[in-house]
Amino acid sequence: MVDAPILFFDSGIGGLTVLREARVLMPGRRFVYIADDAAFPYGAWEEQALAGHIVALFAPLLDEFRPEIAVISCNTASTIALAGLREAYPDTQFVGTVPAIKPAAERTRSGLVSVLGTPGTIARQYTRDLIASWATKCHVRLVGSDRLAALAEIYMRDGFVDEEAVRTEIAPCFLERDGARTDIVVLACTHYPFLVNRMRKMAPWPVDWIDTSEAIARRALSLLGPQDTAAFISDAEPDLARMTSGPPDIATRRLMHGFGLNME
Ligand code: DGL
């Protein structure tokens, strides 16, 4: 008997930030990583079109991989499609990734918090509802970036990042008001933790950057049943990555290998 895999899903490489945490917490599990790069960037899609696209994409994936759980390791996808996925596939457990507004509101001292995400995530009613539920006592600035997810893709494949572009994209997160300064920036896109060191370097003053990857991986772990240790020991099936655009280039292949994923 072989353990059912844990399926990770993102528009690109962002979900790898969650997968690397999951590996630490669940070393014996099998992972399948799906990057819908044919449709990247999700941040630029119209809401209903994106929701329909993602729900349709999952039918053959669930059929083929029969995952124990599916982790939507993408804020842009989760905030628009999680409800639709749960409704369409009630036999699958889905774990979503949504902006960490509650922990930010609990942690801020200055009361000034920024949420940095794709234009899609920032525009969502879902995000506004999180603020209304958990952060009414803070001033939350929503900052949508057109470029950061693509900059992270380039950085991870080619090892290059345009630091001035990072500076420009994060600049609106930094607010000074009545002698107080923004002290927390929520990374509301799974691509961004790959750039966090550059963000730290280019920030006008130090802040806490909230990254939810570990919390998402822990949530996934909490939903798993006991492991089939025989499958772990025999290491029967390798972890796998697939890009929806088809066979990947060398840089992507290397990157996925670096995360322990074989490409088809
Ligand atoms: N990684 C995705 C997220 O967490 C978004 C990147 C994109 O725009 O496709 O929001």
Side-chain angles (χ1 to χ4, degrees):
M1 185 186 140
V2 173
D3 265 351
I6 302 172
L7 189 145
F8 280 76
F9 179 81
D10 182 40
S11 57
I13 59 153
L16 295 172
T17 58
V18 185
L19 179 115
R20 73 180 166 187
E21 300 295 335
R23 272 201 188 289
V24 175
L25 293 175
M26 319 166 211
R29 297 282 175 168
R30 184 173 166 242
F31 298 106
V32 170
Y33 187 87
I34 307 292
D36 185 16
D37 65 326
F40 180 86
Y42 276 179
W45 275 62
E46 188 276 318
E47 296 200 352
Q48 286 324 309
L50 181 60
H53 167 78
I54 294 168
V55 172
L57 205 64
F58 262 80
L61 290 176
L62 295 177
D63 217 39
E64 178 179 354
F65 295 110
R66 309 212 166 267
E68 184 169 352
I69 53 175
V71 181
I72 309 302
S73 40
C74 172
N75 292 256
T76 315
S78 298
T79 51
I80 194 65
L82 202 53
L85 285 166
R86 287 183 172 138
E87 199 185 315
Y89 310 109
D91 296 336
T92 301
Q93 295 199 85
F94 288 94
V95 175
T97 308
V98 298
I101 287 165
K102 184 171 181 250
E106 287 165 354
R107 229 188 273 176
T108 179
R109 286 162 185 261
S110 70
L112 300 180
V113 167
S114 290
V115 178
L116 180 63
T118 66
T121 298
I122 292 311
R124 300 271 191 271
Q125 189 55 42
Y126 194 110
T127 304
R128 287 164 204 260
D129 290 346
L130 285 174
I131 295 170
S133 302
W134 305 111
T136 44
K137 295 208 175 82
C138 325
H139 175 84
V140 180
R141 174 174 274 197
L142 293 170
V143 179
S145 167
D146 288 321
R147 297 188 63 195
L148 282 171
L151 288 168
E153 293 270 337
I154 296 168
Y155 176 52
M156 292 307 285
R157 285 199 181 80
D158 307 334
F160 165 80
V161 66
D162 178 345
E163 291 187 339
E164 280 312 315
V166 172
R167 187 202 303 277
T168 306
E169 294 302 295
I170 66 170
C173 294
F174 293 83
L175 181 66
E176 282 188 287
R177 213 166 71 167
D178 303 329
R181 285 172 157 186
T182 303
D183 62 352
I184 305 234
V185 177
V186 176
L187 298 176
C189 170
T190 52
H191 279 72
Y192 299 174
F194 284 134
L195 292 178
V196 74
N197 286 336
R198 303 309 167 105
M199 291 183 185
R200 266 194 200 106
K201 183 174 166 196
M202 304 318 276
W205 58 79
V207 292
D208 269 359
W209 303 87
I210 297 197
D211 167 7
T212 43
S213 328
E214 190 193 334
I216 305 303
R218 281 195 186 283
R219 171 78 188 134
L221 176 62
S222 75
L223 295 175
L224 291 173
Q227 189 170 13
D228 173 2
T229 31
F232 177 29
I233 291 161
S234 70
D235 202 17
E237 290 202 58
D239 294 344
L240 189 80
R242 178 184 296 168
M243 320 293 288
T244 55
S245 65
D249 58 21
I250 275 279
T252 305
R253 205 171 270 280
R254 274 209 198 108
L255 174 65
M256 293 299 178
H257 277 161
F259 282 83
L261 298 164
N262 287 307
M263 302 233 49
E264 296 170 308

